[in-house]
Amino acid sequence: MYLWNRLMEPNPARFADAGPAMADAVNHVNEVSAYQFNLWAVVLGRAGFGVSALCPDFGPFSDEMAARGMEDDVFRDKVSVVGACMQGVPEDSLWQVVHSVGDWPGPPAVIANAIWRPIQGSNLLDNVAWAMEMTSYVGEAFGARSVVCTGGPGTALSVRVYNGYDSVADWQERTAAVAADAGWQDRMQAVTAIADGSTLDTGLIRRIV
């Protein structure tokens, strides 16, 4: 399974317009697409919006998006409205899902996200193995929902872990409980030997669509 992401940064002068415009565009895509797209807004981290979708194979997924951009006039009009609210160009990434823990009946309301790269002298597989063991431990001990991904083009040699929550309050409560756990603390200490802390990027996002 693959996770596709598109990150966009709003123009501060059009920030209030960006969310509704993006929601309108994503809702239209969900009416005509074979895939389910979600829209996210940053709660903690660099202000912005993200669109994501899961796909079993990136080829057909990419072909569908390209066809929509060429043939769907309604979609293009909505994208033009979105584009007027943004600054810079979107940043796309593709991640391969390699491990999943917990029950995922659908996209969660809130996601906590962490991305990092291996430290020099370490390797990606060591970091992936650590992430898989850590998420399995937290899942068994605290009932956490977690996914481990590895980066594709543009994010090569990166590891991504995201955890799903029912609300921001749920995130806060569960995070505090996990952080007080000795097993979690020991594992976090161990990862410093293989992960490059200077590349760590974390954030909290809320689902809009």
Side-chain angles (χ1 to χ4, degrees):
M1 185 67 71
Y2 292 90
L3 174 67
W4 171 84
N5 278 165
R6 172 166 292 173
L7 301 179
M8 288 165 282
E9 184 177 357
N11 185 324
R14 299 292 306 277
F15 188 87
D17 301 322
M22 291 193 63
D24 184 44
V26 172
N27 282 326
H28 169 73
V29 170
N30 282 335
E31 291 175 356
V32 299
S33 175
Y35 304 91
Q36 177 69 38
F37 289 79
N38 293 116
L39 172 63
W40 307 86
V42 174
V43 177
L44 297 174
R46 185 179 180 88
F49 296 91
V51 180
S52 67
L54 288 168
C55 58
D57 187 350
F58 183 61
F61 175 85
S62 179
D63 290 345
E64 188 202 82
M65 289 202 303
R68 184 162 45 249
M70 294 292 293
E71 302 167 2
D72 188 337
D73 291 337
V74 174
F75 173 71
R76 289 204 300 271
D77 289 344
K78 293 181 184 297
V79 168
S80 294
V81 175
V82 170
C85 300
M86 300 298 166
Q87 59 184 9
V89 296
E91 178 184 347
D92 290 4
S93 60
L94 184 67
W95 301 84
Q96 184 173 8
V97 177
V98 296
H99 186 63
S100 179
V101 175
D103 184 21
W104 296 83
V110 171
I111 280 180
N113 188 66
I115 301 172
W116 73 91
R117 300 185 69 177
I119 200 169
Q120 185 175 1
S122 182
N123 62 62
L124 181 66
L125 293 180
D126 289 341
N127 284 260
V128 171
W130 175 88
M132 293 171 66
E133 197 278 331
M134 169 64 102
T135 54
S136 294
Y137 171 77
V138 175
E140 293 173 2
F142 296 94
R145 292 176 288 171
S146 305
V147 169
V148 179
C149 304
T150 56
T155 56
L157 297 180
S158 295
V159 182
R160 179 180 188 179
V161 173
Y162 64 88
N163 301 307
Y165 302 93
D166 295 332
S167 65
V168 173
D170 181 42
W171 162 78
Q172 187 173 16
E173 180 180 346
R174 287 178 178 271
T175 299
V178 171
D181 178 71
W184 181 87
Q185 294 170 5
D186 290 343
R187 287 165 172 80
M188 290 300 295
Q189 182 63 38
V191 77
T192 61
I194 59 173
D196 185 349
S198 69
T199 67
L200 179 63
D201 183 18
T202 63
L204 188 71
I205 56 177
R206 185 196 308 270
R207 181 167 55 85
I208 299 176
V209 174

